[in-house]
Amino acid sequence: MKRQANAAPERALRCLGCPSTDALIRVEALTRQQRTVAEVRGRAPGPFGYPVPVRARIVHHTALAAALAPPRRPRSATAPAIVLGVAGPAAALNLAVAVQSGGAQGIAGVIIMGLLAAGSGWLLRARRAAAARTGPQVRTARWLWRHCWYCRRCGAVSLLAPALRAALPAPNLAATLLTLAPGGHGPQP
């Protein structure tokens, strides 16, 4: 008898919501199955009437896949760092132009680039702090997510990690796993 690759192993993994053993599937595999990706390629008229190649990618997740999605990593600090790296020198250059012209030119550029540099510096600091605060907790929550099984019969999620077994609700699984991870406010694995 051939077994599905993502089905529960035959060594008696049981759903913690019901006694089912044959309806379990890994949450990770289920979210991949519940996702469709569509790519669109073609040509569109450009600014001077010439055809310009266009490519788009659309990813659609079902409601079940969205509910069982993995915990998200903190957002990257790369984009604010790049904006700060460009806006800071641009503000300094505009300030030099404004000083040389006696304030007749460059004042608007100084204000705009200064605000852009200040805003991106604030965002950079906030994202770095968030990554330092939640990074390890998210890594642990993602590890727990990889040990989750979804029961197609009762709709419960069984966390079958080596040190922790728990029946979890399927809606908003990521938030539940973040509370179970160290630093969260639930029981520790």
Side-chain angles (χ1 to χ4, degrees):
M1 179 176 187
K2 191 173 181 180
R3 183 174 66 82
Q4 288 181 349
N6 295 314
E10 295 174 9
R11 57 180 167 84
L13 278 184
R14 292 189 184 279
C15 172
L16 299 176
C18 69
S20 174
T21 59
D22 60 341
L24 291 176
I25 183 169
R26 277 192 183 275
V27 167
E28 189 173 5
L30 184 64
T31 56
R32 243 183 274 125
Q33 288 175 357
Q34 299 279 321
R35 179 182 70 187
T36 56
V37 178
E39 287 197 28
V40 178
R41 294 178 189 211
R43 295 191 177 273
F48 300 108
Y50 299 109
V52 177
V54 176
R55 240 177 57 175
R57 183 174 181 228
I58 301 168
V59 179
H60 175 72
H61 298 275
T62 63
L64 181 60
L68 298 175
R72 293 184 134 191
R73 293 184 178 104
R75 295 192 65 172
S76 173
T78 304
I82 291 171
V83 171
L84 180 62
V86 171
L93 180 66
N94 281 329
L95 182 61
V97 168
V99 168
Q100 284 181 348
S101 70
Q105 294 177 335
I107 294 296
V110 170
I111 293 170
I112 292 170
M113 289 299 148
L115 289 173
L116 192 58
S120 61
W122 175 81
L123 188 59
L124 176 65
R125 192 178 85 215
R127 284 191 180 173
R128 283 186 177 166
R133 186 177 59 249
T134 62
Q137 181 182 359
V138 171
R139 278 193 295 277
T140 304
R142 288 179 73 85
W143 182 85
L144 290 171
W145 180 77
R146 287 186 194 95
H147 289 85
C148 286
W149 295 79
Y150 178 76
C151 180
R152 290 183 175 168
R153 182 168 293 146
C154 70
V157 175
S158 297
L159 172 59
L160 302 174
L164 181 65
R165 292 168 114 32
L168 306 173
N172 205 2
L173 179 63
T176 305
L177 292 174
L178 282 169
T179 62
L180 292 176
H185 300 294
Q188 303 303 312

